[in-house]
Amino acid sequence: QAGEASIMKVAVREAVRRLREERIEASLINVVHDEMIFLCRKEDAEKVRRITCECIEWAGEYLKLNCPMKGEGKIGNDWLAVH
């Protein structure tokens, strides 16, 4: 679990940085285990999904893990809708 927490910490930090850099209005509202939950406009949802997936994959490379990370993102009106 400590390793997973490190991966998420790095991924969250990078995702927030990239969203700000690209001037996408999105708010990180929660992190649940290995999931980042953002609130954003519908027109930005796909960009937010893509960036967060890229950041999870990047975090694995940054931490020099021996196995590749695969980011998977879903879009929905609430957390239950994507589970």
Side-chain angles (χ1 to χ4, degrees), residues 1-9 11-12 30-37 56 69 79 83:
Q1 288 178 342
E4 182 180 305
S6 295
I7 295 165
M8 286 305 293
K9 187 176 181 180
V12 166
N30 206 352
V31 176
V32 180
H33 303 292
D34 61 347
E35 300 177 22
M36 289 183 257
I37 302 168
I56 289 172
M69 296 293 300
W79 189 68
H83 283 86

Side-chain angles (χ1 to χ4, degrees), residues 9-20:
K9 187 176 181 180
V10 169
V12 166
R13 189 173 32 196
E14 181 65 9
V16 170
R17 185 196 68 76
R18 293 238 345 246
L19 291 167
R20 283 184 186 153

Side-chain angles (χ1 to χ4, degrees), residues 56-82:
I56 289 172
E57 294 169 8
W58 174 85
E61 294 172 14
Y62 177 82
L63 295 170
K64 297 178 173 51
L65 300 180
N66 290 330
C67 59
M69 296 293 300
K70 175 85 169 114
E72 179 183 303
K74 297 178 182 176
I75 298 170
N77 290 327
D78 57 53
W79 189 68
L80 289 174
V82 296

Side-chain angles (χ1 to χ4, degrees), residues 2 5 25 40:
E25 291 184 29
C40 67

